[in-house]
């Protein structure tokens, strides 16, 4: 049995979080992950307070296991989403794309466990000092909005810098990645890309198909110029975005406007021409659709064998 402090802290069976992917991570996906023993996380990003409340209700009708809500701190709905989290006594909150310090005490005061996603040692130290329960250290192999550091260097440095459990994210999709994360000192992993192709994931079939078909060179990072680097599947949209980013006659405002709504187009319409198919670099390893339960049990079984046999390397 794989043991981890994060399982005890959160009351979950397996130390696997499902990333709170904007427009993707709804009650169906999060409930399936939680029911399978991981931590399912609803994305608060694309919802106002009342929409989030309805999604939480839907999840609670499907499972009584612990779950999380992700707060994307750049969202205009953040203040009302933060209130709903308190009112609904959400067990766990993860935050991303910003500094969660203004909200941590509000949540921890009512018993919500707060696990910020960080992309640097500096932010990890800051949130640990201010009462975070754990941190997710997310490297640039991840899909979506990313920081500058990659997983292999980031995770052990965050582990050394804080006294709270560290969850590794970015480039992890199987038991090998999970075992490696434990070797780096992590207490668990967060995965997004693998769960994109879960049976219970409601994204457009074209999105799943493109992730399943992607190879090792299948993703690209755009948006550095406007301060929001994001990794997505290479497609006509990312090609055009890259060209406009290089073209200094197009303003930052025009570039931002060009990107607006592209994620929804990918998730809801499967629009390969105009959609932003956010996806991690590990997509090349993700080759089959399975239920969340099958995925989680397969990954844990692989990791257990690898960790158990690790000692055989030493003569
Ligand atoms: O947040 C994510 N991934 C995301 S959010 C998202 S939605 C979006 N839409 C349009 C533009 C941008 C995003 C899609 N994918 N991951 C967690 C994450 N957080 N990655 C990087 C960070 C991060 C970056 C800087 C966290 C904190 C931070 O610090 C800022 C500060 O003020 O210190």
């Amino acid at each position: 049995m794989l043991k981890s402090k994060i399982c005890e802290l959160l009351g979950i069976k397996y130390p696997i979080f499902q990333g709170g992917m904007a427009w993707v991570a709804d009650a169906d996906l999060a409930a399936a992950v939680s029911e399978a023993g991981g931590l399912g996380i609803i994305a608060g990003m694309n919802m106002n307070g009342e929409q989030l409340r309805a999604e939480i209700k839907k999840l609670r009708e499907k499972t009584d296991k612990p779950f999380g809500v992700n707060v994307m701190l750049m969202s205009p709905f953040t203040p009302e989403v933060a209130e709903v989290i308190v009112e609904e006594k959400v067990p766990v909150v993860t935050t991303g794309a910003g500094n969660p310090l203004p909200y941590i005490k509000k949540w921890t005061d009512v018993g919500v466990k707060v696990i910020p996603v960080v992309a640097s040692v500096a932010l990890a130290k800051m949130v640990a000092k201010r009462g975070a329960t754990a941190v997710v250290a997310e490297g640039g192999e991840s899909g979506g909005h990313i920081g500058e550091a990659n997983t292999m260097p980031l995770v052990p440095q965050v582990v050394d810098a804080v006294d709270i459990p560290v969850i590794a994210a970015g480039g992890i999709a199987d038991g090998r990645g999970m075992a490696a994360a434990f070797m780096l000192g992590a207490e668990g992993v967060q995965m997004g890309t693998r769960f994109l192709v879960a049976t219970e994931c409601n994204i457009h079939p074209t999105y799943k198909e493109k992730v399943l078909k992607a190879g090792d060179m299948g993703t690209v990072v755009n948006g550095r110029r406007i301060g929001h680097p994001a990794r997505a599947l290479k497609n006509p949209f990312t090609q055009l975005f890259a060209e406009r980013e290089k073209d200094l006659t197009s303003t930052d405002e025009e570039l931002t406007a060009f990107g607006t709504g592209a994620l929804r187009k990918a998730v809801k319409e499967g629009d390969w021409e105009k959609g932003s198919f956010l996806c991690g670099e590990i997509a090349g390893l993700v080759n089959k659709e399975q239920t969340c339960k099958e995925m989680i049990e397969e990954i844990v079984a692989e990791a257990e064998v690898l960790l158990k046999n690790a000692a055989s390397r030493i003569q």
Side-chain angles (χ1 to χ4, degrees), residues 22 45 72 74 96-99 117 119 123 138 143-147 228 278:
M45 148 76 187
M72 210 289 272
M74 278 162 38
N99 188 330
V117 178
L123 188 59
E138 188 193 86
H145 178 57
I146 53 173
H228 304 306
L278 299 181

